[in-house]
Amino acid sequence: MSDTASESRSNATEYTVSEISGALKRTVEDAFGNVRVRGEISGYRGPHSSGHAYFALKDDRARLDAVVWKTTMSRLKFRPEEGMEVIATGRLTTYPGKSNYQIVIDNLEPAGAGALMALLEERKRRLQAEGLFDAGRKRRLPFMPGVIGVVTSPTGSVIRDIIHRIKDRFPLYVLVWPVRVQGETAGAEVTAAVNGFNALARDGAIPHPDVLIVARGGGSLEDLWGFNDEALARAVAASRIPVISAVGHETDWTLIDFAADMRAPTPTGAAEIAVPVRADLEATLASLAARLRACASRNLERKRQAVRAAARALPSPDQLLALPRRRFDEATSRLGRALTVSIERKRARLERQRLTPATLSRRINEARTLTGRDLARAQAAFFAIARERRARFKRTAARLSPAPIVRRQKAQGDTLTGLTRRQDHAIARRLDRLRANLTQADRLLSTLSHKAVLARGFALVKDAEGAVIKLAADVVPGAALSLEFADGSADAVATGGGARPKASAKPAKPREPGNQGSLF
């Protein structure tokens, strides 16, 4: 029986693990070379560092691993997201390293426009709840921008339409940031462009835009899906530069239409919103200049008429100067006569007061008399003041005699001598009293000291820590003890513990001092 079993085992074909894995791989790829699988994306974390994406498709009963290679990811029209229901087209294959199978996706599309719209509506509600679409946070566009930044594809017709419209209306400096406007990387590139324009320095080599235009032509929901990116909507809402959204046609809408400061129906409409018409501005300026000149002319004429009316109400110069002129004429006529009369009076006074030698002598004598009188008065006053100051000095000198000071000094010296004697006497009595107290305390200390007790034949017992042992019950057998005598100390070891005597027991006969060695 064992020989038969051995023979049957030897007849079975042997395969290696690699051969089995390769056979299964060929079988699966031949049978499922092109399949379309509908399921919900699960475990999606974005592209790997290599550029490939790994996730799974699942339904309510099964799960299928999936992989999208880097080259395919760049061709996808929309970005896969966790929980999105999609239809994947590709081929099934196996992965021998883990003995499982997976689908290699060549194309990925949403399970329907309804799924994308549901995802878009959910994202819109979430961002709106955060306040990113509030009208209060939107900025006003500058009326006359100096630089316009455009985020769009550099090869499409959109950028040509925008530049052509700006050139027709008001030629300005247009700065284009080239991006992809469709595909997997469209949202990330437009987000980087908006953030890059905001990062430009005001005084840098590249001019800082005053307004941004994010533009793209029309298309399906999948074509415009990159402009529904959540990161792009947040970047547009956080932009310090006003943003005009011009994505798709007027009936199309994306998330950045709500996050932008202004929405244009078309890219051409965005250019019309961003810049005014130069001809209209010139016409308006000319009209305002004409109105200003007319207003200034009318105002000047009105002021001139007011001045004329006020001039008619004012008196003439002859009327104003008539009375002062008459007063001046009268004063002129009186001035001539008054000068003549004054001269005559001065002449008469001078004749009466002619200077003669007798007059000069008389006046000199009068001045000498007055001077001598004033000199006598000054000398008398000086002598009186000197006598008064001398008398005051004598009175002060009498009060400042050294005799009172000597008497006071002698009295204070006697007082100090008496206090010194009292101090010496008090100190001597205090020292005697303290010396007596010290002698008494020394006698009391000698009386109460334990050394006097030790001198009478007693000993002081201490344990190893130096604590005094007062009771025999506190002695532990084998404990090290220290015995202090009057003339020194000795070490001992307890051979037995003491027991407290009972109340009825007779007191033990005290041992003689010489017999205390029994503790050793």
Side-chain angles (χ1 to χ4, degrees), residues 351-399:
E351 290 177 353
R352 288 195 302 271
Q353 298 181 356
R354 285 182 178 176
L355 295 176
T356 60
T359 303
L360 290 176
S361 299
R362 186 175 61 255
R363 290 192 175 182
I364 291 173
N365 293 331
E366 290 177 357
R368 185 180 289 112
T369 301
L370 293 176
T371 302
R373 185 177 57 192
D374 293 339
L375 180 60
R377 289 179 180 177
Q379 289 178 351
F382 174 75
F383 289 132
I385 291 173
R387 286 192 299 270
E388 183 183 356
R389 296 293 175 84
R390 186 179 291 109
R392 185 184 303 172
F393 177 76
K394 290 180 179 180
R395 290 194 300 269
T396 303
R399 288 198 303 270

Side-chain angles (χ1 to χ4, degrees), residues 321-332:
L321 298 177
L323 183 59
R325 186 181 293 115
R326 180 175 179 179
R327 291 177 179 174
F328 180 75
D329 293 340
E330 292 177 354
T332 303

Side-chain angles (χ1 to χ4, degrees), residues 344-355:
E344 293 297 332
R345 289 178 180 176
K346 297 294 183 181
R347 183 181 292 111
R349 184 182 301 172
L350 183 60
E351 290 177 353
R352 288 195 302 271
Q353 298 181 356
R354 285 182 178 176
L355 295 176

Side-chain angles (χ1 to χ4, degrees), residues 126-143:
R126 188 173 70 256
L127 296 179
Q128 188 172 10
E130 296 180 12
L132 267 67
F133 303 156
D134 293 344
R137 53 155 296 277
K138 296 183 182 295
R139 293 165 294 277
R140 297 182 58 183
L141 301 180
F143 177 74

